[in-house]
Amino acid sequence: YLERLHVLSTKLALGTVFKQVNEVVKKLKLIRLREDVDTVRKSGARIIGCTTTGLTKYRGLIAATQPRVMMIEEAAEIREANITAALFPSLQQIILVGDHMQLAPHADVLELSRPPFNLKVSLFQKLVERGLEYSSLQIQRRMAPDVRKLLSAWYPLLVDHPCTESQGAIPGMGAQTLLWFDHRHAESSDRYSSKFNAFEADMVVGLYDYLVLNGTIPSDITILTFYNGQKSYILNSLRRKYSFASRYAGDGEDDAGPEVQTVDGYQGKENEIVLVSVTRSPKNRSKPDAGFLKDQMRAIVALSRPRRLLVVLGDTQNLLASSAQPIWSEVLKRMKCPPCNYMPVFCEAHGREIRVRQPDDWERLASKGGCGMRCGRKTGIHGSMCGQKCHGGSCKPALGASIPDRSAASTAQTSSELSTVTRASVLSTEKNLIDL
């Protein structure tokens, strides 16, 4: 009896203590909140910026400042509940900025993204689809005109600002702003069942190397893919094959190489050059499968990221035979130059187009980003000519560089060098075309 009485009295005492502690904690929170509000007001801040997670965490503080206008960026990618949490009583205006044609909100539980829950449908999208009046930007200042045209099926009123027509050519790519490398090399699956395509990844890595050797800053290149498996394969290939700091002799972040991302992780970003790896190409050609590429929102995001050059690598036959056909047929029919089974790159020193068809061709082409002939460009030192093998970028000769012999023997030597570098390459009957 005494033991039970002791336990009961202890519980009552602890209950009283816990209640007192809770009261103290509440008072401390109120004191801290008032101090934070006073700090914000005394600072004279007229704008408070935060993430939707931060808004939920500090909702009391933000509500206490009595905001009158709330602007939400990327509203089409934010769940309805997060926006609802931002509807403070003091608000007089709420501005939603976004694009419901691009990535939708993410639902951690797949079942909740489907009817009747539909967590993947944002409040922004619901309001637009229900006829709420809205304003839409109709002049774009990012993409080259040829790339913008790919999206005209979904953005028929979008036009180009004049600045998009004079962004400058990419060294080693001629005047190209858009190209699609088409192939039939089969995909594979990694241990996590994510897809990757080794051939496609190796072509991407080779093109990246070529671009950098021709003077493009590594950080100006983004590699996008629809699958984590392909992302991992490309990253591993880059780390295994190249030592950025020693090979490119860059500074700071440029040594780190390109940004390799999945499409889902690149919403809202952009870059000068974007290389898109489609990845999907089933071994069983009788069962076409586009996977994530049948998502129109992902397709729009992937195609709308570049400023100066978009290169897509993928199996068009699979896309057009799969359930993704309505999306990608609209894209392909708007391409100025149709997809081809080679990658056209250009030697600026000799005005030659070089067609790369497989990963090994990047090494056969040249180790310095050129066409394999003797450079022959003026170095600016006493009018001398560069005697190096054709290379990308500017000529940096050593002091005392001599003018190479322009005799017939020298010409024969140059032709021999081209043959050696390209090995089994076939020199086209067209004067300025090398078809590897």
Side-chain angles (χ1 to χ4, degrees), residues 363-375:
E363 295 299 328
R364 293 164 57 194
L365 172 62
S367 61
K368 294 186 177 182
C371 68
M373 297 181 68
R374 189 177 295 278
C375 178

Side-chain angles (χ1 to χ4, degrees), residues 240-254:
R240 183 172 60 249
K241 191 171 183 180
Y242 302 124
S243 173
F244 298 110
S246 61
R247 186 163 190 185
Y248 302 131
D251 296 314
E253 294 183 358
D254 293 346

Side-chain angles (χ1 to χ4, degrees), residues 10 45 60-61 69 98 121 228 245 251 255 264 319 325 339 349 359 382 389:
T10 302
L61 170 61
V69 179
V121 182
N228 277 316
D251 296 314
D255 294 346
D264 288 11
L319 291 178
Q325 186 272 339
H382 308 300
K389 189 176 291 184

Side-chain angles (χ1 to χ4, degrees), residues 336-349:
K336 184 177 180 180
C337 297
C340 51
N341 62 353
Y342 59 85
M343 186 86 68
V345 296
F346 294 84
C347 171
E348 296 181 354

Side-chain angles (χ1 to χ4, degrees), residues 319-340:
L319 291 178
L320 295 178
S322 69
S323 57
Q325 186 272 339
I327 299 171
W328 294 98
S329 62
E330 292 290 340
V331 172
L332 292 169
K333 74 181 183 183
R334 287 172 170 79
M335 290 191 66
K336 184 177 180 180
C337 297
C340 51

